[in-house]
Amino acid sequence: MNRQSFRKKYRRIRALSGRTVKELVRDPLSWIFALAFPLVMLALFTVIDSKIPPEAGMTQFAPVSVGPGILVFAQCFLTLFVSLLVSGDRDSALLTRLQVTPAAPAEFHLGYTLPAVLLGLVQGLLTMTVVWVLSLSDGEALSFMGCLAAVFFTIPAMLFCIGLGMLLGTLLSPKAAPGISSAILSAASFLGGCWMDVALLGDGFETVCTLLPWYPAVRMGRAVLGAGVWHLQDLAVTVLWAVLVHLAAYAVRKKRFC
């Protein structure tokens, strides 16, 4: 690829990404649920944790434990946003009209993915910064660098959520995409152990959860904050799921629109 061709691809990806950013900005739900809702949940669980007597020994609602869980749960909203955006563009025939442009399928894919990644990173940094502040008021100050590391280790799960949104948006109508995305969000909160210990439901159930992308991401986030341990398998599972779902979304988009 020569320099001129690379510049053309870059300009097309930038134009497609800019258009996606504008659509996200126009939709206030993106900011309410992606940014504000996790903070409301953190405040709620902080109040609950403050009402639990220390002798009870319950720590699942403490910032160090519930913070990474809320972060992974909030990332699932990216599946909803992206699926709505992609399915809406299909319904309005925007994607069909864009087929006459020189843009390649990979450029379309990046045009949706990159803005969602930016939103996810802002979401993660804001959420874990608030977790760090809450830990200071809780008397068990967390490392700020540890909170940033928790965001880093949940990036594969975030990419999975975005890729899943791309896949659902390509396959489903604007009416069907929100329902399926909401069901996935509910499943993630349960199977990811976002605010509960999945080990309490048995070894078999925990084993199933470790093979899905959400629980390993939550476990890694908690581990870097000092609230547990994680294994290399956790990182491998989340990365594998992210790669597979993006490849599937790309293949389906290429087949249906090219």
Side-chain angles (χ1 to χ4, degrees):
M1 180 188 302
N2 56 42
R3 182 176 298 180
Q4 184 177 5
S5 175
F6 175 80
R7 288 178 177 175
K8 290 181 179 179
K9 287 181 177 293
Y10 170 75
R11 285 196 294 267
R12 290 194 292 266
I13 293 173
R14 186 176 61 180
L16 291 168
S17 298
R19 181 258 167 192
T20 301
V21 169
K22 291 179 181 178
E23 290 298 320
L24 290 174
V25 171
R26 289 171 186 167
D27 184 7
L29 290 178
S30 301
W31 302 103
I32 293 174
F33 283 99
L35 301 181
F37 187 65
L39 305 186
V40 172
M41 294 184 68
L42 278 172
L44 175 62
F45 281 116
T46 299
V47 172
I48 294 175
D49 183 62
S50 66
K51 301 299 181 181
I52 300 175
E55 56 270 18
M58 295 179 62
T59 60
Q60 61 264 38
F61 297 136
V64 66
S65 181
V66 79
I70 289 179
L71 175 56
V72 173
F73 176 73
Q75 288 173 345
C76 295
F77 282 103
L78 297 174
T79 299
L80 175 62
F81 303 147
V82 174
S83 65
L84 281 173
L85 183 58
V86 175
S87 61
D89 288 346
R90 284 179 46 240
D91 192 56
S92 65
L94 174 65
L95 291 179
T96 302
R97 294 194 298 270
L98 287 175
Q99 299 310 309
V100 300
T101 67
E107 295 167 10
F108 285 111
H109 194 87
L110 289 174
Y112 286 106
T113 301
L114 295 179
V117 168
L118 178 61
L119 177 59
L121 289 176
V122 173
Q123 175 193 71
L125 293 173
L126 180 60
T127 300
M128 295 311 297
T129 298
V130 173
V131 168
W132 175 69
V133 172
L134 290 175
S135 73
L136 297 179
S137 61
D138 194 45
E140 297 182 4
L142 297 174
S143 165
F144 184 70
M145 294 305 297
C147 291
L148 295 182
V151 177
F152 174 79
F153 277 99
T154 58
I155 286 178
M158 176 187 70
L159 293 174
F160 166 78
C161 293
I162 294 171
L164 186 59
M166 294 278 292
L167 181 61
L168 295 177
T170 305
L171 292 173
L172 303 176
S173 67
K175 294 182 178 179
I180 300 298
S181 299
S182 298
I184 291 174
L185 188 134
S186 299
S189 66
F190 180 65
L191 298 172
C194 295
W195 29 78
M196 60 173 288
D197 186 1
V198 298
L200 296 176
L201 299 178
D203 293 339
F205 184 80
E206 184 179 18
T207 299
V208 172
C209 293
T210 58
L211 298 177
L212 298 173
W214 305 294
Y215 182 54
V218 172
R219 190 157 64 174
M220 286 190 294
R222 289 172 178 164
V224 297
L225 293 179
V229 295
W230 68 282
H231 308 282
L232 188 60
Q233 172 190 327
D234 293 335
L235 182 61
V237 167
T238 54
V239 170
L240 180 61
W241 273 104
V243 171
L244 289 178
V245 77
H246 275 277
L247 289 177
Y250 175 79
V252 171
R253 174 180 293 277
K254 186 175 182 181
K255 182 177 181 180
R256 297 191 67 168
F257 296 101
C258 298

